[in-house]
Amino acid sequence: MIVTALKDIVGTERDISGPGWQSRRLLLASDGMGFSMTDTIIRRGATLELEYKHHLEACYCIEGSGEIKSVMGVEWHPLEPFTLYALDQNDRHEVRAIDGDLRLVCVFNPPLTGSEVHGPDGSYSPQV
């Protein structure tokens, strides 16, 4: 059984951040679950262009409000608490926080190893 409190992750090597975002890695590949789970914050006013070429991702909004759209699309989809989006085709996308910080619980497959940050193209490196 794995029991983890967010307060025990904040400020450790599982607390990773970059311009406009912070990702607290609750579960990692080393935990052996076959997926990873993060508590992620996108800072108010930030717009991130991302493309997880090597991962599938699903995110569940639990706080704040924002929007997401495919880079190829024109329609922004609202994000608010209790809304899920899933990038089931490694979609290149933009996500932005509008009203306060946007807080998401995110699941990645294959699982993150822990220290990943977004590369210049918005993706994480493939797992080794």
Side-chain angles (χ1 to χ4, degrees):
M1 179 183 301
I2 299 168
V3 178
T4 303
L6 182 60
K7 66 180 179 156
D8 297 330
I9 291 173
V10 172
T12 71
E13 68 281 353
R14 286 187 177 221
D15 187 356
I16 309 295
S17 62
W21 61 275
Q22 180 179 14
S23 175
R24 289 82 64 95
R25 277 78 194 272
L26 301 166
L27 288 172
L28 295 171
S30 60
D31 294 313
M33 295 291 296
F35 61 90
S36 59
M37 180 179 286
T38 69
D39 182 312
T40 298
I41 296 173
I42 299 174
R43 299 288 176 212
R44 179 183 182 181
T47 299
L48 306 177
E49 186 170 328
L50 306 168
E51 180 180 17
Y52 296 113
K53 298 175 183 179
H54 312 288
H55 298 83
L56 296 177
E57 180 193 29
C59 296
Y60 186 64
C61 179
I62 60 171
E63 191 174 297
S65 68
E67 298 177 311
I68 186 167
K69 78 173 187 78
S70 166
V71 169
M72 301 301 292
V74 294
E75 181 181 1
W76 285 92
H77 302 277
L79 297 174
E80 58 189 21
F82 317 115
T83 304
L84 172 126
Y85 68 87
L87 303 165
D88 61 336
Q89 296 178 25
N90 306 99
D91 316 62
R92 185 163 191 77
H93 62 286
E94 290 180 85
V95 61
R96 62 185 176 197
I98 296 172
D99 185 21
D101 292 344
L102 182 63
R103 187 170 175 195
L104 306 163
V105 175
C106 306
V107 176
F108 286 89
N109 184 16
L112 302 179
T113 59
S115 60
E116 291 90 347
V117 294
H118 301 113
D121 64 355
S123 72
Y124 290 147
S125 297
Q127 303 303 310
V128 190

